[in-house]
Amino acid sequence: MRQTLRFQETLRRLAMIDEGFVECRAGLGLGLARESVLDPKTAALIQLAASMTLGSPAVCLEWSTDRALAAGATEDEIADVLLAIAPVAGLSRVVNAAPEVATALGYDVAAALEEPIGP
């Protein structure tokens, strides 16, 4: 593979969070710890909270939200994670993350904000 194609493939796979690629090439395991007292759903919600607290980009928030849903978290539990971390992470981090998490849940916050509020 030519050098330019290799760097392009690397960047593409990182941008899409190709778990297998990241684990193999970077040696970074993205799964849950092999031995943990946390159930997968709780661990996934904590990972989502950490991503929001760090101000992670949209693709990471969507990936973390998808993992939490796959682990059995509900939309309400995911939304409550934002409320739970607000005192520690700060309102600006939560406000920044909310639209990206909403998109991952199939909810368009921007469109909802444009709708008129009832009487």
Side-chain angles (χ1 to χ4, degrees):
M1 183 180 290
R2 288 189 15 230
Q3 188 65 21
T4 55
L5 294 179
R6 182 177 178 280
F7 91 82
Q8 290 172 351
E9 183 66 9
T10 298
L11 295 175
R12 184 182 73 79
R13 287 176 176 249
L14 287 172
M16 63 187 268
I17 310 177
D18 181 333
E19 293 180 41
F21 178 82
V22 172
E23 288 179 12
C24 177
R25 298 289 297 276
L28 178 64
L30 298 176
L32 299 175
R34 297 208 189 280
E35 293 185 32
S36 176
V37 296
L38 297 176
D39 62 275
K41 180 176 86 170
T42 301
L45 288 170
I46 292 170
Q47 289 172 345
L48 174 60
S51 290
M52 288 187 272
T53 301
L54 293 170
S56 296
V59 67
C60 292
L61 293 172
E62 291 176 21
W63 176 77
S64 295
T65 302
D66 289 344
R67 285 179 59 110
L69 289 169
T74 67
E75 289 90 349
D76 287 335
E77 289 171 321
I78 290 169
D80 281 353
V81 167
L82 278 93
L83 296 173
I85 67 166
V88 176
L91 185 59
S92 64
R93 293 281 186 177
V94 172
V95 168
N96 188 51
E100 307 304 341
V101 172
T103 297
L105 295 175
Y107 177 59
D108 187 349
V109 173
L113 293 173
E114 293 177 4
E115 295 176 5
I117 297 176

